[in-house]
Amino acid sequence: MSETSTGPWLVAGLGNPGPQYAGNRHNVGFMVADLLAERMGGAFKSHKASRSQVLEGRIGTPGVDSTRVVLAKPMSFMNVSGGPVASLLDFYKVDLSRLVVVHDELDIPYGTLRLKKSGGDNGHNGLRSLTKTLGPDYHRARFGVGRPPGRMAVADYVLKDFSGAERKELEYLVDRTADAVETLLTAGLERAQSTYNS
């Protein structure tokens, strides 16, 4: 599935801006976006109109199978990320069906990856903001972080860094999620799901 007249894809990694949040579970979307930017050989630049960091380029094999993509990290806080993503869709003339949101997911175990299109927000504040602003019909790359232990509040859990044990696998899992996003963009959702959904 190469580029069509519907324009580029928009891949939005969700997170919270600022160094104090960089290693948080809630920021895994930023981690995946950073790796994709590295693979694309570019650097994020400020896009003031959308309050985002943006990189334009191509993903996939150069030539026939490469796909135009706008990679973005909204610089608003997670719970108001709908506004910046809506602005990016409008600015780059991207159809909602070509939006991929990369985010942490409490309802699946750590190390599990699930790709899907549409659905609810499962209590995720970033997805709630996006769906309220755009509707639910966008792709999601859901990076499992598991449920908080004991009675720990969800907000405390997602705003903590990955544990030492989790960090041993984190680089591999971020790499695998980036692979899955690339496959979704270049080969379609079904291929990506059959290869990467666990």
Side-chain angles (χ1 to χ4, degrees):
M1 184 194 329
S2 55
E3 182 186 343
T4 68
S5 59
T6 48
W9 283 83
L10 173 63
V11 176
L14 298 189
N16 286 310
Q20 69 272 39
Y21 300 107
N24 289 179
R25 292 181 178 92
H26 228 14
N27 270 44
V28 76
F30 277 12
M31 296 173 196
V32 174
D34 286 339
L35 178 57
L36 286 167
E38 192 180 307
R39 291 181 180 185
M40 288 165 65
F44 283 102
K45 293 182 179 154
S46 180
H47 188 264
K48 292 192 173 124
S50 67
R51 302 188 319 281
S52 301
Q53 295 283 319
V54 168
L55 170 62
E56 297 175 62
R58 300 190 87 85
I59 275 179
T61 311
V64 182
D65 292 328
S66 76
T67 303
R68 271 181 69 213
V69 62
V70 178
L71 196 54
K73 297 191 295 184
M75 289 288 113
S76 62
F77 282 94
M78 175 77 82
N79 60 353
V80 288
S81 44
V85 173
S87 295
L88 288 165
L89 288 171
D90 185 55
F91 184 87
Y92 289 102
K93 307 291 185 277
V94 177
D95 188 82
L96 186 61
S97 66
R98 293 171 76 83
L99 169 63
V100 181
V101 176
V102 186
H103 65 91
D104 59 305
E105 177 62 67
L106 287 163
D107 285 341
I108 51 180
Y110 181 70
T112 302
L113 173 62
R114 299 260 170 82
L115 300 160
K116 71 173 192 172
K117 187 176 179 196
S118 302
D121 59 46
N122 285 2
H124 190 289
N125 289 332
L127 294 185
R128 183 178 294 137
S129 175
L130 283 161
T131 298
K132 184 177 177 186
T133 308
L134 302 167
D137 295 327
Y138 52 90
H139 294 85
R140 300 105 188 272
R142 305 160 69 211
F143 186 109
V145 295
R147 303 293 308 183
R151 297 185 177 188
M152 184 187 289
V154 164
D156 293 337
Y157 178 70
V158 296
L159 293 175
K160 282 195 182 320
D161 286 1
F162 287 97
S163 70
E166 288 170 335
R167 280 198 295 271
K168 288 176 183 169
E169 285 187 278
L170 184 60
E171 187 177 340
Y172 163 75
L173 295 170
V174 167
D175 192 70
R176 188 169 182 271
T177 306
D179 288 347
V181 170
E182 289 189 358
T183 301
L184 169 56
L185 268 52
T186 58
L189 178 61
E190 284 186 21
R191 170 74 65 81
Q193 285 175 322
S194 66
T195 307
Y196 293 100
N197 274 16
S198 48

